[in-house]
Amino acid sequence: MPSGWRRRPRGLPICVLLSLPFSVAGLSSQGPDTSTRAVVTAVAQYVSDYQRDLTSILADESYTQDVVSRMPRDSTAPRSRRMASEVFFMFMPGTRDWMAIRDVIAVDGLPVEDRPDIRQALDDLSSTEVAATLKRQNSRFNIGRILRNFSEPTLSLLVFDANHRERFSFARKRVRREGNAVLVTLAFTERESPSLITDPLRGRILSTGEVIVEAGIGRVRRTVLRANSGEIKVELTTDYTRDEKLALWVPAVFRESYERGTPPRRIEADTEYAHVVVVCEARYSNFRRFQTSARIK
């Protein structure tokens, strides 16, 4: 979902709201249409249906964060974190935003005592209030000097949402077979505002990336979204897999990479931010449905 990074003391602000000629040998002329136009149309329909299908889905999450670069003045700050959570997936039709709401159960093996009542909040709050209230919960256990208040494995799907799709250009990069499926890799580039990603200091942040989909039906297998905000580089990758119990393809692994600056040849003792890299990985399991009131519209 489009979301902002807000300045905090000693923090780094950023916000996240991302034709080549091609010939294919060996693909049957009776197979699905792999033209860019046909694939984008199929993905757009798949995403439109998926916004309904993935809503009210709950999963267990194992989430790791690691700071993999030196931070001279952060010798006492944690360099790694492990969290066990439940994650509520939903699409808010009123705001046309994805939300992955994390209910953190344990941090580094210790239970969280002041857990919010997510289910009650979803029943009582409007969609705009849910976004404003609960997204702060997602970031309170983050580590590293690159501040962020989102963790949305489905964020890249907004590229194909009707409210955003016209601002992107698409180009087919690769076509290959995998079993009975014909997989197409599409590159996307955001061309204009209002951008999917915004930064309160720098304004629009145009994103790029790629998506691997099944031709014909538009099913999404992988998304990669990249964005640069000043010195900060962001890359978000989501891999999808089929859940047999739900008969639905679901986010399986979500990887985040945040990098500020370039690796210096030498780090001076008084350097506050030399080079910061934070990498995160979320793995999801035990998908099931949950019930909320009808107020999430």
Side-chain angles (χ1 to χ4, degrees), residues 40-62:
V40 171
T41 299
V43 179
Q45 183 58 58
Y46 175 83
V47 167
S48 178
D49 295 338
Y50 199 68
Q51 289 167 347
R52 177 194 64 243
D53 295 341
L54 195 66
T55 291
S56 299
I57 296 295
L58 178 65
D60 296 339
E61 179 193 60
S62 176

Side-chain angles (χ1 to χ4, degrees), residues 214-226:
E214 294 183 36
I217 60 176
R219 179 183 293 137
V220 176
R221 295 286 194 92
R222 166 179 276 200
T223 62
V224 181
L225 185 144
R226 304 179 184 93

Side-chain angles (χ1 to χ4, degrees), residues 65-71 74-75 77-81 143:
Q65 301 181 28
D66 293 285
V67 180
V68 296
S69 62
R70 292 182 61 186
M71 296 184 297
D74 277 358
S75 59
R79 304 299 296 271
S80 65
R81 173 145 290 166
I143 61 173

